[in-house]
Amino acid sequence: MNSPQILDGKSVAAAVLDECRAETAELLAKGIQPGLAVVLVGSDPASQVYVGSKTRTCAELGFHSLKIELPAETTQEELLQVVRDLNADPAIHGILVQSPPPKHIDEEAVIREIDPRKDVDGFHPENVAKLVLEDPSGFVPCTPAGCMKLLEVSGINTHGAEAVVIGRSMIVGKPMALLLVSKISNATVTIAHSRSKDLPAICRRADILVAAVGRPEMVRADWVKPGAVVIDVGINRVPDASKKSGFRLTGDVAYQEVAPLCSAITPVPGGVGPMTIAMLMKNTLQAARQLG
Ligand code: GUN
């Protein structure tokens, strides 16, 4: 049993936000105030918390920030019109529509409506293509960008490493795999998912294991190679009567049993979560710089 390096997303995110603060001052001096619009449709409690954190961080940095909360009954066309208006608003450099939207919304169509130059989530097909092409003018999705930053700042070498990403979402799994395999990182990458045969055996190959499935504590000790680096992207709410809120947050990794095996691991909360918001601020600054 050893003590792993705890990858402290809170402090790394604070350092990224300090850089953002300095860059915001430079842009303000040029007469540009970075502006981010966050759109939330419906009242999913977790989404409300995330959207609140995003707009609060904008305010702390001195961004112009717009929080647009729409009722769950909002129609597809009404939402598309909100996006079109934000595309046309010169005070807004970044647009984010919180996922997941209510079931009647065609999320793909909404993402395609966002001006790719303002798509700070990096979900528009044009930005997905730029990620594949390793074109730095595109926007990299915030959560995988945050994971990569955490690895980099913590001195974890990805070059030649065997990486396994569990989860194939467009928000985390696929872009994470692309970043790890890129010419900057040079990892050998496997994308595993719910239909993978013998998931534990695949995970045991990993020098770097990224769990992004949304299943509380799915990754157990016998899924992890001793000495591996484990990045836990999950933020799951599990009922807990001892908490005032009635729930506690847990990751996709059974932290207590996995941590002693690892060389490094992210905690939940306080690991990947804060990094996502910090990278969103960085992306918004990139948009403000590029749009002018
Ligand atoms: N829901 C969970 N993560 C994200 C994210 O990074 N962006 C958006 N828009 N919705 C999310």
Side-chain angles (χ1 to χ4, degrees):
M1 295 286 150
N2 65 346
S3 330
Q5 179 186 2
I6 308 298
L7 304 175
D8 179 1
K10 247 189 180 153
S11 71
V12 176
V16 172
L17 291 176
D18 282 342
E19 283 170 28
C20 289
R21 217 167 267 116
E23 198 182 334
T24 305
E26 281 172 28
L27 283 170
L28 287 171
K30 290 183 193 155
I32 301 166
Q33 184 185 25
L36 176 68
V38 179
V39 182
L40 174 63
V41 187
S43 54
D44 174 65
S47 291
Q48 282 175 326
V49 172
Y50 300 145
V51 163
S53 305
K54 288 168 185 177
T55 47
R56 227 177 9 259
T57 310
C58 280
E60 280 163 22
L61 292 180
F63 286 14
H64 167 55
S65 135
L66 206 54
K67 180 159 87 173
I68 302 177
E69 292 179 282
L70 302 171
E73 312 75 56
T74 303
T75 66
Q76 177 80 14
E77 185 48 37
E78 283 165 342
L79 181 55
L80 290 175
Q81 192 53 49
V82 167
V83 170
R84 287 184 204 116
D85 292 344
L86 293 169
N87 284 341
D89 183 344
I92 294 298
H93 303 99
I95 302 169
L96 178 153
V97 180
Q98 187 65 26
S99 183
K103 284 199 173 52
H104 66 278
I105 297 289
D106 175 356
E107 190 175 15
E108 269 298 312
V110 175
I111 290 168
R112 282 172 189 271
E113 198 68 28
I114 298 172
D115 182 336
R117 296 169 304 168
K118 296 189 177 187
D119 168 39
V120 286
D121 260 328
F123 296 166
H124 189 284
E126 201 171 294
N127 286 311
V128 176
K130 285 183 174 180
L131 183 60
V132 175
L133 295 166
E134 304 188 30
D135 174 345
S137 73
F139 295 101
V140 177
C142 306
T143 300
C147 295
M148 295 307 294
K149 184 80 182 169
L150 209 44
L151 290 172
E152 179 198 318
V153 169
S154 310
I156 290 161
N157 186 16
T158 55
H159 294 253
E162 187 94 38
V164 173
V165 179
I166 324 172
R168 53 180 159 183
S169 73
M170 290 303 297
I171 298 184
V172 186
K174 283 182 190 159
M176 186 71 209
L178 285 167
L179 291 169
L180 283 163
V181 82
S182 74
K183 290 193 188 74
I184 295 172
S185 301
N186 289 313
T188 302
V189 181
T190 301
I191 306 179
H193 47 80
S194 55
R195 304 290 172 91
S196 294
K197 203 167 71 181
D198 202 352
L199 198 47
I202 295 170
C203 294
R204 274 195 299 273
R205 295 207 307 255
D207 301 312
I208 299 172
L209 181 61
V210 182
V213 272
R215 291 249 236 117
E217 304 189 350
M218 184 174 87
V219 176
R220 315 299 306 195
D222 63 349
W223 294 35
V224 176
K225 175 161 86 176
V229 173
V230 174
I231 306 289
D232 189 351
V233 181
I235 305 177
N236 307 294
R237 290 180 170 206
V238 297
D240 185 338
S242 74
K243 301 275 179 192
K244 212 163 76 186
S245 60
F247 67 86
R248 68 187 160 85
L249 293 180
T250 185
D252 291 348
V253 176
Y255 187 90
Q256 293 302 333
E257 61 180 61
V258 169
L261 292 166
C262 302
S263 60
I265 187 166
T266 58
V268 177
V272 175
M275 294 303 298
T276 297
I277 295 179
M279 301 319 275
L280 173 64
M281 300 301 126
K282 252 185 128 49
N283 280 357
T284 305
L285 285 166
Q286 180 186 333
R289 249 187 353 255
Q290 290 175 354
L291 283 163

